[in-house]
Structure formats: C-alpha cells, structure tokens
Amino acid sequence: MMLVNMRDLLEDAEKGNYAVGSFSVANMEMVLGVLKAAEELNAPVILQIAEVRLKQSPLEIIGPLMVAAAENASTPVAVHFDHGKTIEKITEALDIGFTSVMFDGSHLPLEENIKMTKKVISTAEEYDAAVEAEIGCVGGSEDGSEDIAINCTKPDDAVRFEKETGVDALAIAIGNAHGNYKSTPKLRFDILKQVDDMTDTPLVLHGGTGISPEDFVKCSKTGIKKINIATATFDSVENNVREAYKNGNIKGYYDLHEAEIEGAYKNAKRHILIFGSDNKA
Ligand code: 13P
C-alpha cells in the first residue's frame, strides 16, 4: 500500500531540493500511464483531478479508481483533489480517501480566502489529509472555460496567509497560467524568490504545460515543490493515439487503450526527469 499523504512527499522534496509532479487524470488509462512512469523511475508522484472535470469523470467513479491505483502502486502516490470550489465536494473526495485537497479561494478577497481555507483545514484534519490553497490568481482556469487574468501573488499576503492558516502547500501566481500559453511565459522569479525567502510552506506551480525545462528546474530550486501538469497529459494522450492511427498501429480497441497509456506515460516520464524526482521514492 503506497497511498501516502501529500505532506510527506513535499517534505521529502524540500529536503532533496526537487519538485513532485502532480498529474491530472481523466480515465483509467491516464492513471496507468502516470504510474507506469513513476514506478519505472522510482519516483513519488501525485494523481489529481479538478472539480471542474467531474462532469466528464464523475468523482464517485474516478475517485475510488485513483485511490485503488495508488494503494497498489510500488512507489509513493498521493491522491489530490485539485481546485476544490465547495466544502461539500472536498468532503466527498476526503470520504473516498483522497490524501490531499485544494481549496481554491484565489478569486476571493484575502480575508475570505483565509477564512474558507481554515474551514477546509479543520475538515481535512479529521481525515489527516493535507490542504493546498492559492493566493494571487493563476491565469485561465483548469478546463479553459474561464479567462481569468493573471494577478501575481503579493509576498506580504503569502506571509500573512501562512501565519493565519498553517496551510500545507501554497499555490502562487508568478505569471503562470492554465492551458497552452499563447506566447512564451515569463515567470516572475523575483516574486518567487521573495515568497520563498519569506515563507516556509512548500509552494505549488500551476499551469505547468508549456513551461521550459530550465524554468521548471529554477522553480524547483526556489521553493516550488509540487508542479501541476494537466493539458500536456491530455495533449500527449491525444497525439499518441493520432500517431498510432496514422502509423496503422491501431487494429482494435485494446491497441487504442495501449496508445492512451503510452501517451500519459511518455508525458509523465519527461516531466519527472525534469523535476528531478526520479529515484526519490
Ligand atoms: P496545465 O493544464 O497548464 O498543465 O495546468 C495544470 C494545472 O495547473 C492544474 O491545476
């Protein structure tokens, strides 16, 4: 049983100076592909799904699947509820066995975000689960349905947030955005450095798709301990399937199933190696 608390993964990442990949999944094939990469590379990993994606992948079906896959993995796996909007859905994820949850109050005034995050923390405590929050605004939305403008995190807000909530992981906005970037992202490493210097909480980078390997490495050495990857997984699965059809490698359903797993595997492997979390299990 290698289902673990995200808190422990991030603590180890802090000590080892690397970041843990948190991969969004939408079906069993993606779960299998991510875990294949993690097991092959002997890497800790996080499986996640965002609340907005539950209309395609219902929580009561994909949630137990993610938890069971983690329990059966030979490498440490945390199961995380990404961009939780309501205490009700967050509690449902905790009941299923998720070992960490995010409450996304980034759109709220700081005061309100702190108040709500504290409520989520006291709920999660009953399950010994970790909690992630977000301050400032990461651009876009997890499923691309909203065009949220980037609003970089104010370092003083991060200090206050940490002090008043004691949250386990803090997502910050430093010019990053969800989905494929329209132009090369310019991350504000000056802000990241200030937040890292002024706080002790493991930091989280959302919007991982399209960030360069060099910037990922720089982030992982400057306090970012969890990196979220969603669009790159979906794109890799889709492209791998498309290629397999083009090359005449799909002759029946199970070839399609294999091509999907392979797409998720390749993407997770590439990112784990960049984040430096290989051989850290
Ligand atoms: P991307 O889709 O840009 O990889 O962002 C993922 C993410 O941050 C999920 O919370």
Side-chain angles (χ1 to χ4, degrees), residues 22 24 48 50 53 80 82-83 102 132 134 138 141-143 176-181 204-210 226-234:
S22 194
S24 299
Q48 66 179 15
R53 301 289 186 180
H80 177 72
D82 191 29
H83 290 287
M102 176 187 189
E132 174 185 333
E134 177 175 322
V138 172
S141 65
E142 208 278 345
D143 64 348
N176 45 324
H178 295 102
N180 286 308
Y181 290 89
V204 182
L205 185 74
H206 282 243
T209 300
K226 171 177 182 271
I227 301 180
N228 284 13
I229 303 287
T231 309
T233 308
F234 306 140

Side-chain angles (χ1 to χ4, degrees), residues 140-280:
S141 65
E142 208 278 345
D143 64 348
S145 62
E146 283 181 89
D147 195 14
I148 296 165
I150 295 173
N151 177 17
C152 285
T153 303
K154 294 182 185 67
D156 287 341
D157 287 352
V159 172
R160 178 174 168 204
F161 201 89
E162 172 182 85
K163 191 161 161 256
E164 292 190 25
T165 65
V167 76
D168 297 293
L170 187 59
I172 57 163
I174 52 168
N176 45 324
H178 295 102
N180 286 308
Y181 290 89
K182 293 182 186 83
S183 58
T184 311
K186 287 195 180 58
L187 298 185
R188 292 284 307 270
F189 284 101
D190 54 332
I191 295 178
L192 177 58
K193 171 110 184 47
Q194 280 183 56
V195 176
D196 185 35
D197 286 347
M198 291 162 70
T199 61
D200 293 321
T201 310
L203 304 175
V204 182
L205 185 74
H206 282 243
T209 300
I211 289 180
S212 71
E214 297 71 30
D215 280 359
F216 275 141
V217 171
K218 223 166 140 183
C219 283
S220 73
K221 308 291 176 206
T222 321
I224 297 286
K225 296 295 128 201
K226 171 177 182 271
I227 301 180
N228 284 13
I229 303 287
T231 309
T233 308
F234 306 140
D235 288 353
S236 180
V237 169
E238 203 193 332
N239 291 335
N240 208 60
V241 166
R242 210 188 296 276
E243 269 307 289
Y245 270 117
K246 206 172 93 193
N247 299 334
N249 292 335
I250 296 192
K251 308 224 168 8
Y253 169 73
Y254 284 100
D255 297 326
L256 171 62
H257 162 89
E258 276 306 322
E260 281 196 48
I261 294 175
E262 189 73 9
Y265 159 79
K266 283 185 195 161
N267 174 68
K269 183 172 179 174
R270 182 169 75 83
H271 284 98
I272 287 169
L273 290 170
I274 297 169
F275 301 162
S277 56
D278 52 310
N279 288 318
K280 303 294 193 306

Side-chain angles (χ1 to χ4, degrees), residues 25-36:
V25 291
N27 62 15
M28 183 182 73
E29 288 75 6
M30 292 186 203
V31 170
L32 293 175
V34 171
L35 294 188
K36 182 178 165 190

